[in-house]
Amino acid sequence: MQLEFKETKEMLVKEREAAKKVAEIVPVIQEVPVVDNAMMEKLTAENEKLKAMVNSLEQKIDETEKKFEETSRISEQRLKQALEAESKMVELKTAMHSLEEKFLDMETEYHVLRQKGLPQTPAKKPSDRPPVPPSHSLENGNEESRVNEPQSATPVKSYGTESDSKFRRSHIERQHESIDTLINCVMGNIGFSQGKPVAAFTIYKCLLHWKSFEAERTSVFDRLIQMIGSAIENEDNNDHMAYWLSNTSALLFLLQKSLKAAGASGTTPNRKPSSAASLFGRMAMGFRSSPSSNSLAIALTVVRQVEAKYPALLFKQQLAAYVEKIYGIIRDNLKKELTSLLSLCIQAPRTSKGSALRSGRSFGKDSAPSHWQGIIDSLNNLLSTLKQNFVPPVLTQKIFTQTFSYINVQLFNSLLLRRECCTFSNGEYVKSGLAELEQWCCQAKDEYAGSSWDELKHIRQAVGFLVIHQKYRISYDEITNDLCPILSVQQLYRICTLYWDDNYNTRSVSPDVISSMRVLMTEDSNSAVSSSFLLDDNSGIPFSVDDLSNSMEEKDFADVEPAEELLENPAFEFLHE
């Protein structure tokens, strides 16, 4: 056994040595890539081309960036030049209007002096007035105003003398100084008199006395429009915007009552004062014992109809546009203020219970009353601001009516889009908040709230459905006729399918009602009826100039006092009349 073990061991040693030798002899097989020289040259050439293209693109990009910077710089320069040119154009336009007025004044003075030179008897009493040339008295208000002004007792010299030119220049300068004084006075907040804006009344009295409404060309309207535009640049200040809404609406009312387009029935503008006075005299004699005679006299003294030329009619249109713009700014400011609060008012806090929701008084600091009270505070603040600035009630009604419509749209759409809002407890939560809004409408009264409460019909009916018990016993006819008559089939289907009771685990409507709704929705889809269940917010202007005009009366301005600052100015003595 030992001999066999040795032999076996020796054999193993020999086999290992043989294996080593064989391993040394057998070559190692390695994968040697086959290199295609032609392909390599082709790839190298394409690579070089790509590098050249990349370099070219980088250069073009750099050039484009430089050109863009240069173009931007040139564009900024041109924009600056355009703004400067626009400002120069405005200045030139103002200067052109001024020159036109001066030319018209010179032409008027020429005709006046010519008429003065026609009579053979040069001696006249100081109180006599030169005859009015009939061919030019109707052409524009400037001529008429110059003709109707009392003449001085100084003897008239021949046309073209130095004193005449000085007189014309001084008169034009005085007129422009009066316009500048008026604008500087009404530019600030000069308050109210007898519940009416002093600035609007003062502007109207000045324009009426200067006969600007009857002028073919005048720059006073452009000056006033520019003044109003610059005054309402601070759109975030509701108090400031309400002041100008009151002034622009009052001035628009006075213009609406006074101006009539050329060619309308009635006497001509230059004869209007005398005919109105005579008409009033006859009426006063005929109705001396009537209590309405005083109001008629007041109306005729405050507002006087004139035949307006194009600049005055254009000014009224621009003024109406500013009334609509300021109205929209105040309304949108209130909407922005309420948006963040409405997102918190649509869903009940999880810590609130049904009993607390029904009471509406047992919430924490960040629960229903705080959010809904924030909405009430915003409504009260704006209502107080509008009252303090004597904004016409018709505009106040429209602001709050559109705001309540916005509240209705936001709450109703959130209810239909979020399943967590279509619950029994959430219905009670929103219902308590709607009760606060109803109380606010009652306190504000119809004079200011108008039909605001009616604008919440959708959310009121939807909430009424959420809080009703035993919904599975209600038929489809009862829902559409009694509970939710204003809601569409799509809206009812959305509410019924999203509803779930987180307090009492009650069921929604029966499957038969859901099936009836599906059938009706299928029929509506085949017709032209819209399948959308969401409401749209209306941001239009819900009033017209006639609505504003019908909301006020001329006698409301009877006791209004003009601006005290101008009453002390000798150039504005006519304001005492």
Side-chain angles (χ1 to χ4, degrees), residues 165-175:
S165 61
K166 289 182 179 180
F167 172 76
R168 289 193 296 271
R169 286 196 300 268
S170 62
H171 179 78
I172 295 172
E173 291 174 358
R174 287 196 304 271
Q175 186 179 11

Side-chain angles (χ1 to χ4, degrees), residues 467-509:
V467 299
I468 196 172
H469 295 278
Q470 297 181 345
K471 296 180 179 60
Y472 60 91
R473 294 186 176 182
I474 304 175
S475 64
Y476 176 76
D477 292 337
E478 291 175 339
I479 295 176
T480 55
N481 296 330
D482 300 331
L483 291 177
C484 308
I486 199 173
L487 302 186
S488 65
V489 179
Q490 291 81 5
Q491 293 167 345
L492 289 173
Y493 178 81
R494 184 78 177 178
I495 295 174
C496 293
T497 54
L498 290 180
Y499 171 79
W500 60 287
D501 191 349
D502 53 345
N503 282 349
Y504 309 107
N505 197 25
T506 58
R507 292 179 293 169
S508 182
V509 296

Side-chain angles (χ1 to χ4, degrees), residues 207-221:
L207 295 177
L208 195 63
H209 179 77
W210 294 336
K211 299 187 181 297
S212 300
F213 299 131
E214 306 158 65
E216 293 282 359
R217 295 179 181 87
T218 179
S219 62
V220 63
F221 297 130

Side-chain angles (χ1 to χ4, degrees), residues 338-347 406-423 426 430 458-459 462-463 466 494-495 498 533-536:
L338 298 181
T339 299
S340 59
L341 295 172
L342 290 174
S343 61
L344 300 174
C345 292
I346 186 58
Q347 188 175 3
Y406 174 75
I407 294 174
N408 178 68
V409 170
Q410 295 299 313
L411 294 179
F412 186 77
N413 288 348
S414 298
L415 195 70
L416 299 188
L417 293 175
R418 297 165 58 182
R419 187 174 184 272
E420 63 272 15
C421 297
C422 271
T423 64
N426 191 69
V430 178
H458 289 83
I459 188 63
V463 168
L466 293 180
R494 184 78 177 178
I495 295 174
L498 290 180
F533 54 83
L534 298 179
L535 300 177
D536 295 327

Side-chain angles (χ1 to χ4, degrees), residues 348-364 367-368 423-430 432 501-504:
R350 295 183 179 180
T351 57
S352 302
K353 301 297 182 181
S355 59
L357 287 166
R358 282 190 292 273
S359 65
R361 301 297 177 189
S362 303
F363 297 98
S367 56
T423 64
F424 185 89
S425 62
N426 191 69
E428 291 184 326
Y429 175 82
V430 178
S432 65
D501 191 349
D502 53 345
N503 282 349
Y504 309 107

Side-chain angles (χ1 to χ4, degrees), residues 35-228:
V35 178
D36 190 346
N37 294 330
M39 183 63 68
M40 287 295 296
E41 290 177 357
K42 184 178 180 181
L43 292 175
T44 303
E46 290 181 355
N47 190 21
E48 293 296 332
K49 289 181 180 180
L50 291 174
K51 287 182 179 180
M53 291 176 64
V54 169
N55 293 332
S56 176
L57 289 175
E58 288 179 352
Q59 292 178 357
K60 290 182 179 180
I61 290 173
D62 293 337
E63 293 176 356
T64 304
E65 289 179 351
K66 292 179 180 179
K67 290 181 180 179
F68 176 75
E69 293 176 356
E70 181 68 17
T71 304
S72 300
R73 186 180 60 81
I74 296 174
S75 177
E76 291 177 357
Q77 292 179 354
R78 290 179 178 176
L79 178 61
K80 186 177 179 180
Q81 293 175 356
L83 294 175
E84 293 177 354
E86 185 177 2
S87 62
K88 289 181 179 179
M89 287 176 62
V90 173
E91 294 176 359
L92 291 174
K93 184 179 178 181
T94 305
M96 183 184 68
H97 284 300
S98 177
L99 290 174
E100 289 177 350
E101 289 181 357
K102 291 180 180 178
F103 175 76
L104 291 173
D105 291 338
M106 292 174 64
E107 186 179 4
T108 302
E109 295 297 333
Y110 165 73
H111 289 294
V112 171
L113 295 174
R114 185 176 180 181
Q115 290 293 329
K116 287 180 180 180
L118 289 177
Q120 299 296 328
T121 57
K124 286 188 178 182
K125 296 182 180 180
S127 59
D128 289 343
R129 297 187 180 183
V132 179
S135 60
H136 295 275
S137 60
L138 300 180
E139 290 185 1
N140 61 58
N142 287 336
E143 295 179 5
E144 182 186 357
S145 62
R146 302 294 86 76
V147 170
N148 291 337
E149 287 184 355
Q151 304 297 324
S152 62
T154 306
V156 180
K157 298 183 180 180
S158 60
Y159 173 72
T161 61
E162 184 179 355
S163 61
D164 296 334
S165 61
K166 289 182 179 180
F167 172 76
R168 289 193 296 271
R169 286 196 300 268
S170 62
H171 179 78
I172 295 172
E173 291 174 358
R174 287 196 304 271
Q175 186 179 11
H176 287 288
E177 288 176 359
S178 299
I179 295 175
D180 293 338
T181 303
L182 172 64
I183 291 179
N184 292 333
C185 175
V186 301
M187 187 178 297
N189 189 336
I190 57 177
F192 302 87
S193 173
Q194 303 297 324
K196 298 299 177 184
V198 174
F201 183 72
T202 305
I203 292 173
Y204 173 76
K205 292 280 287 184
C206 292
L207 295 177
L208 195 63
H209 179 77
W210 294 336
K211 299 187 181 297
S212 300
F213 299 131
E214 306 158 65
E216 293 282 359
R217 295 179 181 87
T218 179
S219 62
V220 63
F221 297 130
D222 292 336
R223 297 282 303 278
L224 290 173
I225 289 297
Q226 292 174 4
M227 182 266 295
I228 296 173

